[in-house]
Amino acid sequence: MISELQSTELLASVWTHLSHFQAIRGEGVHLYDAEGNHCMDFTSGIGVVNTGHCHPKVVKAIQQQAEALLFGQMNCVIPSTTIRLAEELNTITPQHINRFFFSNSGAEATESAVKLAKAATGRSNVIVFQGSFHGRTHLTMAMTTSKTVYRHKYQPLPSGIFVAPFPYSYYYGWDEDTTVDFCIKQLDLLLHGQTAPDETAAIIIEPILGEGGYVAAPSRFLHHLRKVCDAHNILLIIDEVQSGFGRTGRFFCFEHSAVRPDIIVMAKGLGSGLPISAIASTEALMAKWPPGTHGGTYGGGSAIASAAALATVQTIKEERLLENSAFRGNQLQDGLKKLQQKFPVMGDVRGIGLMLAVEFTKPDGTPDAKMTAAVTSACVAKGLLLLSCGSYKNVIRWIPPLVVTEEQINTALEVFGEVILSLNPNHSSEHYLKLRD
Ligand SMILES: Cc1ncc(COP(=O)(O)O)c(C=O)c1O
């Protein structure tokens, strides 16, 4: 798929790369290079381009905004686009969530949420969950437990972060109820043994673990967190950075369980590729955040990023992308489950909407990172971009843009099935072909 490549020697080597595809253009689910080669981006740039690459409505909004105002620094003036974006976000958040603060990245927004929680409660500590990913700044590194690579050689990290187990049934090998009961008990133990409730400002959770392996938190567990928070005046922060903006078939994943967040963290899908993030909270909590104690040069000031975000939310509504996410998600999940019947190496197929994953396991049930790496690189070679995740690097996530079509999903499933078949020669292609029908 790749021919003449530009030299990349001037780029820092700290970046890892799923592929060396040198993209110059994007449209919908496709990326193109200078030679006209294309690939199917089923990573959405790690959950960013939910509206697809270069959605015409988002591009037009950016172009129009660029001609009017690029930047209005929030401490100096108030760009009208920022006000309009807050109004638009107010239409998709629960009624009690009606104040918005803007920044540039997911990590920055997570830091903002923690600072708001500390300011509003006067408490120092935060509870996160095993497998969490909240970013790569020093505080958010301390809040991230999905892989040691994110902290390796950077420790010690900021203190005051406590880790509770996430209800990851497949990992524990228990049914959902047993797993949730265990996690509830362990959280209680943490609040008795390590961080007292009156020192705990917030509990922060991804409603679907992202980098940690695409595991949805059961509704009963989320409601239990709400109960614990209410009992001790702890704030419940929901990190929707990866699961937000239609990814799971609703604007926000927490809507599936109807749990009530105190603070919502948003980024990625909000800007369709422009760097913008936000936290949303209640009037009462935001009123406890002393003016001037938080902010930044660019947050809320980039009129282009705000215009892109405004157009993104409007496009998701106008083009019924929530419905498409749910519908295509079912198609994809069904297709993956069908393949799972044939290939036992696909130990688990899970997720909600278009936030799906396949966990690869060896016959003894242990993680199969080697197979996962082989499958992703063979898919990339065939022009299908799929990313892995999970602490053991044995999960492949499926997060195509929400504009993905039935045909594109069928094509991707076909490539995936062929790749797994080629890596599992014990399975006859006859059987596989039968399953495709
Ligand atoms: C759930 C979650 N929170 C926070 C972040 C950090 O976002 P960013 O990389 O924009 O700083 C990520 C990034 O992958 C994420 O998935």
Side-chain angles (χ1 to χ4, degrees), residues 1-2 18-21 37-40 373-386 415 419:
M1 111 185 159
I2 299 157
L18 169 68
S19 80
H20 292 279
F21 190 83
N37 299 308
H38 68 275
C39 60
M40 284 175 87
V375 172
T376 43
S377 56
C379 285
V380 168
K382 284 175 176 278
L384 173 64
L385 300 188
L386 287 173
V415 170
V419 161

Side-chain angles (χ1 to χ4, degrees), residues 196-415:
D198 68 357
E199 280 189 306
T200 307
I203 296 176
I204 177 165
I205 189 163
E206 294 160 77
I208 297 190
L209 266 190
E211 308 294 311
Y214 273 40
V215 188
S219 178
R220 180 162 77 90
F221 188 67
L222 293 173
H223 283 282
H224 178 77
L225 297 185
R226 181 70 266 168
K227 234 168 69 191
V228 170
C229 287
D230 286 344
H232 301 294
N233 295 319
I234 297 170
L235 301 178
L236 181 60
I237 304 174
I238 307 276
D239 181 342
E240 292 273 0
V241 168
Q242 196 158 158
S243 54
F245 296 95
R247 179 53 54 201
T248 67
R250 304 274 178 95
F251 261 105
F252 299 106
C253 182
F254 70 79
E255 293 173 42
H256 291 282
S257 59
V259 72
R260 183 172 52 82
D262 294 306
I263 305 172
I264 308 168
V265 186
M266 319 171 188
K268 288 188 187 280
L270 170 60
S272 287
L274 270 78
I276 182 165
S277 61
I279 62 167
S281 189
T282 65
E283 181 180 356
L285 280 176
M286 286 281 195
K288 292 184 179 168
W289 213 2
T293 64
H294 190 53
T297 300
Y298 295 106
S302 170
I304 296 197
S306 298
L310 188 56
T312 296
V313 178
Q314 288 167 347
T315 301
I316 291 173
K317 286 179 179 172
E318 286 163 15
E319 304 200 350
R320 304 175 70 90
L321 295 185
L322 301 183
E323 286 90 331
N324 203 53
S325 173
F327 205 67
R328 292 293 144 233
N330 285 340
Q331 179 200 347
L332 181 53
Q333 181 144 195
D334 287 350
L336 291 171
K337 287 201 160 139
K338 218 166 158 194
L339 286 173
Q340 188 190 24
Q341 290 167 29
K342 164 68 179 154
F343 300 113
V345 72
M346 293 171 65
D348 196 25
V349 172
R350 57 178 178 248
I352 309 175
L354 282 173
M355 188 162 182
L356 300 176
V358 177
E359 177 155 354
F360 287 83
T361 45
K362 294 179 192 160
D364 65 359
T366 57
D368 198 341
K370 231 167 130 183
M371 174 62 69
T372 310
V375 172
T376 43
S377 56
C379 285
V380 168
K382 284 175 176 278
L384 173 64
L385 300 188
L386 287 173
L387 270 174
S388 67
C389 61
S391 300
Y392 295 94
K393 300 186 186 170
N394 68 319
V395 180
I396 290 183
R397 49 182 142 179
W398 289 75
I399 39 172
L402 311 184
V403 294
V404 70
T405 64
E406 180 179 4
E407 199 188 344
Q408 287 162 341
I409 284 186
N410 283 336
T411 304
L413 281 168
E414 203 154 307
V415 170

Side-chain angles (χ1 to χ4, degrees), residues 71-231:
F71 184 65
Q73 210 286 328
M74 275 297 266
N75 299 116
C76 303
V77 296
I78 305 174
S80 118
T81 325
T82 311
I83 301 169
R84 283 197 288 138
L85 175 58
E87 286 168 353
E88 188 67 41
L89 289 174
N90 201 30
T91 67
I92 60 166
T93 49
Q95 214 167 10
H96 70 288
I97 299 282
N98 53 9
R99 293 292 183 274
F100 302 88
F101 173 85
F102 296 102
S103 48
N104 310 285
S105 69
E108 216 185 323
T110 304
E111 295 240 4
S112 303
V114 171
K115 283 177 77 172
L116 169 59
K118 287 185 177 184
T121 61
R123 301 173 181 180
S124 55
N125 296 347
V126 174
I127 293 176
V128 301
F129 290 91
Q130 184 59 53
S132 54
F133 187 96
H134 297 293
R136 296 160 188 260
T137 58
H138 265 75
L139 175 66
T140 57
M141 256 196 287
M143 297 168 68
T144 289
T145 61
S146 58
K147 281 193 196 110
T148 50
V149 68
Y150 299 124
R151 327 165 132 231
H152 193 55
K153 303 267 168 79
Y154 296 122
Q155 309 208 55
L157 295 169
S159 58
I161 310 296
F162 296 84
V163 186
F166 189 94
Y168 185 170
S169 300
Y170 187 76
Y171 167 78
Y172 288 111
W174 302 332
D175 62 49
E176 183 177 302
D177 273 343
T178 308
T179 312
V180 168
D181 288 344
F182 168 77
C183 292
I184 285 174
K185 268 183 100 170
Q186 289 292 308
L187 176 65
D188 191 59
L189 186 60
L190 192 72
L191 288 164
H192 280 82
Q194 296 189 51
T195 172
D198 68 357
E199 280 189 306
T200 307
I203 296 176
I204 177 165
I205 189 163
E206 294 160 77
I208 297 190
L209 266 190
E211 308 294 311
Y214 273 40
V215 188
S219 178
R220 180 162 77 90
F221 188 67
L222 293 173
H223 283 282
H224 178 77
L225 297 185
R226 181 70 266 168
K227 234 168 69 191
V228 170
C229 287
D230 286 344

